[in-house]
Amino acid sequence: MNQTTNTSKLLTHVFIIVFGLFMLYPVVWMVASSFKPETLIFSSPSIFSKEWTLDNYTNGWNVVRNVNFGQFFKNSFLISLIAVLANLITCSMAAYAFARLKFPLKKLWFACMLMTIMLPAHATLIPQYTIFHNLGWVNTILPLTVPKLLATDAFFIFLMVQFFRGIPRELDESAIMDGCGIFQIYTRIIMPLAVPVLITTAIFTFIWTWDDFFSQILYLNTVDTFTVPLGLRLFLDSQGESSWGSVFAMSVLSLIPITTVFFIFQRYIVEGIATTGIKG
C-alpha cells in the first residue's frame, strides 16, 4: 500500500515538473532570444546560440528619439501605484460599509454592486469616453486613475466584504465599549486584521493595471504619456513587421516588476483568497 502511494506521489510530481517546464519554455525562449542577434532569432530557434549580444536591449531602450523606455516604465509605475492606493482605500471603505454598517437598502445596493461585475466593459466604453472627453481628460492619466478613487472595482469590494464578514463582531463591540467610533473601528480593528486581503487586492490591481493595454491605448495618445504595453506596440510598423529582438528584450524587462511583486507576496494571495469564504 505504501509503495503504491509513493509511486503515485512520484508520478504526480514528475507530471507537475514536466508540465511546469512545458509552460515555462516560451518565457525561457523569449529571454534567450532577447540576447540573440535579430537574424538568428527565428533561423536558429534553439534556446542556445553561438552568438550573444546586448544590442537588442540598447536599441529597444531608445526606441523613440527624445523618449526612451524609461519614460514608459515611469508612467506605468505612476498609474499602477495610484490605482493600488486608491483601490486599497476606497474599496476597503465600501466593503466595510457593506460588511459592518447598517443603512437603508443595503442588500439592494450590494446586489447592484455585484451586477456591475457581470456588466461587460464594452457596454460602458462609449459613455465613459464621452464623459472623459468632455472633461478634457483624454491624453492624461486621469481616466485611468480617478475612477479608482470611486471604488469602481466591484470584484475587490466583494472580496473584502467576504473577508470582513469573517472577522468576529465581538471585536467591534469591544471597541465601541472602549469609546471607538465607526471610523476608528475601521482603522484600528478591521484594517490591521485585513492585511492578507489588502495585499491580494494590491497585487492584482498592480498586475492588471500594469498589463492593461486597451484602456491605455484608448486614452493615451502622445508618446511621452505612453506606458510599457503601449511602448511595446511601437516596435510594430505599419507593414506589420516587428523588431523582434527589441520586442523580446523590452518584454523581458516589463515582466520583472510584476514577477518580482508576485513572488514576494504570493503567500498572501493564497491566504487572502482562501480566507474570504470562511464566513458568509
Side-chain angles (χ1 to χ4, degrees):
M1 183 67 178
N2 291 335
Q3 185 176 0
T4 304
T5 303
N6 292 335
T7 303
S8 177
K9 289 182 179 180
L10 177 62
L11 292 175
T12 301
H13 283 82
V14 170
F15 173 77
I16 293 174
I17 292 173
V18 172
F19 185 75
L21 292 175
F22 177 77
M23 296 296 293
L24 286 174
Y25 179 79
V27 178
V28 176
W29 183 85
M30 181 182 72
V31 174
S33 298
S34 69
F35 293 98
K36 292 182 181 180
E38 191 139 351
T39 56
L40 297 179
I41 291 177
F42 295 108
S43 61
S44 178
S46 171
I47 293 178
F48 304 99
S49 176
K50 296 180 180 179
E51 298 182 40
W52 302 96
T53 180
L54 293 176
D55 290 344
N56 294 327
Y57 285 87
T58 56
N59 295 335
W61 189 262
N62 301 298
V63 59
V64 180
R65 186 181 302 176
N66 300 327
V67 179
N68 59 34
F69 225 84
Q71 179 66 34
F72 305 151
F73 274 99
K74 179 181 176 181
N75 294 337
S76 284
F77 273 115
L78 177 62
I79 295 173
S80 298
L81 291 177
I82 293 176
V84 168
L85 292 175
N87 266 355
L88 289 178
I89 296 172
T90 60
C91 290
S92 63
M93 286 183 174
Y96 173 68
F98 281 124
R100 284 297 205 258
L101 304 184
K102 294 181 180 180
F103 54 90
L105 302 177
K106 183 173 79 169
K107 292 184 178 180
L108 175 62
W109 293 123
F110 186 70
C112 291
M113 184 272 296
L114 292 179
M115 288 175 62
T116 62
I117 300 178
M118 298 175 281
L119 184 66
H122 301 85
T124 59
L125 177 63
I126 295 177
Q128 282 183 347
Y129 185 87
T130 302
I131 293 173
F132 294 142
H133 178 74
N134 292 336
L135 291 173
W137 289 3
V138 175
N139 201 35
T140 69
I141 67 171
L142 295 178
L144 304 173
T145 55
V146 171
K148 304 294 184 182
L149 297 172
L150 303 176
T152 56
D153 284 325
F155 171 76
F156 296 123
I157 297 176
F158 175 72
L159 192 72
M160 292 185 186
V161 166
Q162 295 301 102
F163 189 95
F164 293 168
R165 286 175 176 172
I167 299 175
R169 286 186 175 271
E170 289 78 6
L171 297 177
D172 298 22
E173 296 170 0
S174 299
I176 292 173
M177 294 178 63
D178 290 337
C180 291
I182 293 176
F183 186 73
Q184 289 175 314
I185 294 174
Y186 165 75
T187 55
R188 298 184 181 183
I189 304 296
I190 301 297
M191 295 303 283
L193 295 175
V195 170
V197 75
L198 292 176
I199 293 180
T200 300
T201 299
I203 293 172
F204 279 116
T205 300
F206 181 84
I207 293 176
W208 291 349
T209 305
W210 184 273
D211 291 337
D212 182 15
F213 176 79
F214 184 73
S215 297
Q216 294 168 7
I217 197 174
L218 189 65
Y219 295 112
L220 303 179
N221 300 327
T222 56
V223 176
D224 61 314
T225 63
F226 278 8
T227 56
V228 170
L230 301 186
L232 292 174
R233 180 177 174 271
L234 294 176
F235 295 106
L236 182 68
D237 62 21
S238 58
Q239 284 75 38
E241 298 180 359
S242 297
S243 177
W244 290 109
S246 298
V247 170
F248 293 151
M250 294 302 100
S251 296
V252 170
L253 294 182
S254 69
L255 288 176
I256 293 176
I258 55 177
T259 304
T260 302
V261 169
F262 177 79
F263 279 109
I264 291 176
F265 299 105
Q266 61 177 330
R267 70 184 183 92
Y268 291 102
I269 296 180
V270 178
E271 184 179 353
I273 294 177
T275 52
T276 55
I278 290 178
K279 191 173 183 179

